[in-house]
Amino acid sequence: MNYLIFTKYRPGPYSLKIIFFFTLLVLMASCKKETGKQPVYAQKEVTIEYKISPYQNIVTGGHIIYTDEGGVVTVADKRTLPFSRKFKRTIKRSAVLSLGIIAEYAGSVKMEILVDGQVVSTLISTSVFNKREMIRYTIVIPQE
């Protein structure tokens, strides 16, 4: 009986070619293809400075909100004005900087964000009593 199975279902010349091309197709499809180059972004170390100062009327202080060296939004409770914070940060690709205040008394404040000594964002508020004033700036590092 085994003799009949092997002689009856013996692969012919066409079936061997089909098996060969199928195997070749599977091998070609499974080969790892080279992907395109990923864009390379430069890193840049910048000096960031935040400033908040009274502008008109009496604003003695408040809760200061800012983005710190690690990119984390931080709240500094009950700081007196003028407030200033300066630090260095390495930027990869982009970074969002935020600065804000929740004032204790009515009045106006002037907020500034400086990058490498140049003012990149500024805001003079009308009145900040019991409300939050925020400014933001996005640093974008170009591709190489």
Side-chain angles (χ1 to χ4, degrees):
M1 178 95 153
N2 287 341
Y3 177 73
L4 283 174
I5 294 174
F6 287 120
T7 57
K8 191 172 185 179
Y9 297 107
R10 192 170 189 207
Y14 293 111
S15 60
L16 288 176
K17 287 181 183 179
I18 292 172
I19 292 171
F20 174 73
F21 284 118
F22 180 73
T23 305
L24 185 63
L25 182 65
V26 169
L27 285 175
M28 288 175 55
S30 66
C31 290
K32 190 173 187 177
K33 295 178 180 88
E34 186 176 330
T35 58
K37 287 188 175 184
Q38 298 293 328
V40 176
Y41 293 93
Q43 293 183 8
K44 183 177 181 183
E45 184 176 85
V46 294
T47 301
I48 298 168
E49 185 174 4
Y50 299 122
K51 290 182 180 181
I52 301 178
S53 56
Y55 188 70
Q56 290 178 340
N57 301 333
I58 301 172
V59 176
T60 58
H63 304 284
I64 309 295
I65 305 159
Y66 62 92
T67 307
D68 66 6
E69 301 90 356
V72 178
V73 176
T74 303
V75 178
D77 291 331
K78 295 186 180 181
R79 297 292 175 108
T80 57
L81 296 183
F83 170 81
S84 180
R85 170 100 169 134
K86 189 175 186 177
F87 56 88
K88 290 186 183 270
R89 180 173 169 192
T90 301
I91 306 296
K92 299 176 186 175
R93 196 172 191 173
S94 67
V96 177
L97 306 177
S98 301
L99 176 63
I101 185 171
I102 302 172
E104 293 177 349
Y105 301 104
S108 296
V109 294
K110 180 179 181 181
M111 295 187 284
E112 295 178 310
I113 298 176
L114 292 85
V115 176
D116 290 334
Q118 295 190 3
V119 177
V120 293
S121 185
T122 187
L123 172 74
I124 298 174
S125 68
T126 54
S127 177
V128 292
F129 182 64
N130 284 334
K131 78 175 193 183
R132 183 179 77 187
E133 288 286 346
M134 295 280 299
I135 58 173
R136 287 193 172 98
Y137 179 73
T138 302
I139 299 174
V140 178
I141 307 297
Q143 290 183 18
E144 288 186 337

